[in-house]
Each structure stands twice: as structure tokens, then as C-alpha cells.
Amino acid sequence: MNNDPVARRARMPPRNDTTAPKWDESRPRELPQYFKELEYLFADCGIADDTQKKEYASRYVSYDTAETWLGLPEFGDNIIIGNDAPRPYTYQEWKAAVLRLYPGADASARYNLGDLERLVNQSFNSGLATLGRFSDYYRDFQRIARWLLANGKLYRNEERRLFQQGIPTLLWSKVVRRLEITLPDHHPEDPYDVDQVFEGAKWVLKGTDTSTTKTSNGTTGIHLPIANPPTVPSLAPKQEALELATTTAIVSALERLEALLTSGNAQPRQ
């Protein structure tokens, strides 16, 4: 039995292995999470060399992306500090340079108010007809709003009003009726708290479908039901018959007019 801790260490997975870290390049906001997963693997596999870390980080992305990352100056060792000899850029310095390539990956600008407003508009137009869809809206709204609140980009009352604006009018009227019963002392001019609205909506929508509409990449997939259009009988045969009758009547009238003109102009024989 081999008790060597080095021999028992995990190995970095192959590029296309199911356990390999993955990053959807269309979602730059998730790039820091990709690096975090990589760093868990580095610790498990005993990867300490900065150059190896850079190479592994570039291994699990597309060829073009890897070429861009490996071409950064921070991949090399041309940094000079004062009179010291050149030293390699560290993995952390290189990672920071990679993250700068993707503004959406900047943790200090993860969301903005426009993101929340787009979610609200999408939710209002989607219908929110089931508890599952409403729960998706609640979670997505909370994820963005909490970050904006924590970073001073959103006020609490503004958060409450925006959440209510994402609820379709008919559903909102039912939720309000429920809240008037459960919160009789609530001042009518004050917006309800987000959690209070969620509890009211859960009561109104109880018994509806609770399945999520989340897609595999974690985004909310709002699928509007498309009803089959009713079958409309073709009007072509009736239209053709009408056109034929009209044409026949016009021809007949012209023939009668021509006959009258001919008889009126005829000269009596001597």
C-alpha cells in the first residue's frame, strides 16, 4: 500500500473531462468563479508553480481565448522593480490582467440599476402565472437588488417599488387584497416589503405549478405559452366565386349596351 501523500494527490482533469472547470465565455460575470474553481483544484493537486497555474487556467477555455491569455505580458517574466533582477509575473498578477480583459467580470461593477429594471420589465411581460415562475423572479430580483443595496446603488423603498412593478396588474391586485388581510395596519402609502409581497403571492398562487424555469446555465428562461391559432376556413373558394359572378355580370351588361347602341344606329332600308 502506497502511503506517500504526493502519490495520493488528485490530478488535474483533462480538458474535456466532465470534472474539468468550465466557463461560458458569453457570461464574463462568471469568470471569477471559474478561477475560484481552478484554485480549489490547484490546492487539491498540489500545483504551486505560477507558470503551471497560468497554463492550466488557459487549458480549459477555447483556443482563441487561450491564445489571448497566454499572449499577455504578465505571462512572462519581464517585470523589473527598482534595481532588482527581472522576476516572473505571479499567477495573481496574470489573473488580474485576464480579468481586466472582461469588464463584466469586475466584482465592483457586477450589477447596475439597468439590470434590475430589465428583470422587472421581463417579469411583468412574462405573466408570472405560476408559483414556480414567481419564485424565479423573487430569487433573481433579490440577487441583484441585494448587491445594489450593499454597494449603495439602490434605496430600500426603490427596491420595494421596483419589485411590485414586475408583477402583472391582475396578479398584483390579488396579492394586495391578501396583504390587506394579513397586514391590516400597513400604511397604504408605504410600499410593501419584498418578502411580504412574496408571502402574499405564495398564498395567491398556491396550487399552481411550482417547477422552476431556470435553464442549465442558471438563467431564468421565461417561456410564454403559445396557443395554437384557431383553424380559419379558407375564404379562397368563396372569393373566386364572387369574382367570377362579378365578371360575368359586367360582361353581360356590356353585351346588352352594345346591342342597344347597334340597334339605335341602324339605318332603315329603302
Side-chain angles (χ1 to χ4, degrees), residues 75-149:
F75 188 80
D77 58 357
N78 296 321
I79 186 170
I80 300 176
I81 301 177
N83 296 321
D84 296 338
R87 68 167 179 83
Y89 284 94
T90 66
Y91 162 76
Q92 291 297 337
E93 289 169 331
W94 174 80
K95 183 177 80 169
V98 170
L99 291 172
R100 284 196 295 271
L101 297 174
Y102 304 91
D106 184 358
S108 65
R110 185 178 303 171
Y111 299 111
N112 57 49
L113 188 58
D115 295 325
L116 197 59
E117 291 172 341
R118 279 188 291 274
L119 173 65
V120 167
N121 290 333
Q122 182 187 27
S123 170
F124 182 85
N125 293 323
S126 73
L128 295 184
T130 68
L131 183 54
R133 289 186 180 181
F134 197 99
S135 298
D136 282 340
Y137 171 53
Y138 171 76
R139 288 190 295 270
D140 289 341
F141 185 94
Q142 289 286 62
R143 185 185 70 252
I144 300 173
R146 284 172 180 168
W147 188 91
L148 293 173
L149 286 166

Side-chain angles (χ1 to χ4, degrees), residues 94-257:
W94 174 80
K95 183 177 80 169
V98 170
L99 291 172
R100 284 196 295 271
L101 297 174
Y102 304 91
D106 184 358
S108 65
R110 185 178 303 171
Y111 299 111
N112 57 49
L113 188 58
D115 295 325
L116 197 59
E117 291 172 341
R118 279 188 291 274
L119 173 65
V120 167
N121 290 333
Q122 182 187 27
S123 170
F124 182 85
N125 293 323
S126 73
L128 295 184
T130 68
L131 183 54
R133 289 186 180 181
F134 197 99
S135 298
D136 282 340
Y137 171 53
Y138 171 76
R139 288 190 295 270
D140 289 341
F141 185 94
Q142 289 286 62
R143 185 185 70 252
I144 300 173
R146 284 172 180 168
W147 188 91
L148 293 173
L149 286 166
N151 288 273
K153 299 177 182 293
L154 183 69
Y155 294 108
R156 182 64 68 180
N157 274 354
E158 189 179 14
E159 173 213 22
R160 294 167 177 167
R161 289 192 173 91
L162 278 171
F163 186 70
Q164 295 173 17
Q165 289 172 16
I167 304 172
T169 307
L170 180 59
L171 175 59
W172 175 241
S173 65
K174 295 177 182 178
V175 171
V176 168
R177 285 198 295 272
R178 173 62 182 173
L179 294 176
E180 287 171 345
I181 295 171
T182 59
L183 301 169
D185 296 328
H186 182 84
H187 195 284
E189 293 183 2
D190 294 334
Y192 288 100
D193 184 75
V194 171
D195 288 335
Q196 292 172 339
V197 174
F198 184 45
E199 290 302 316
K202 286 197 292 186
W203 191 90
V204 171
L205 295 171
K206 64 182 178 181
T208 62
D209 187 10
T210 58
S211 60
T212 182
T213 56
K214 288 285 181 181
T215 60
S216 58
N217 62 9
T219 59
T220 301
I222 296 179
H223 305 288
L224 299 178
I226 302 176
N228 292 326
T231 302
V232 179
S234 174
L235 298 179
K238 290 183 179 180
Q239 185 174 356
E240 290 177 359
L242 179 61
E243 290 177 353
L244 179 61
T246 302
T247 302
T248 302
I250 292 172
V251 171
S252 177
L254 289 173
E255 289 176 344
R256 288 198 298 273
L257 178 60

Side-chain angles (χ1 to χ4, degrees), residues 15-28:
R15 184 178 187 276
N16 294 317
D17 193 84
T18 55
T19 62
K22 294 177 177 61
W23 172 52
D24 181 349
E25 297 177 19
S26 67
R27 299 174 64 80

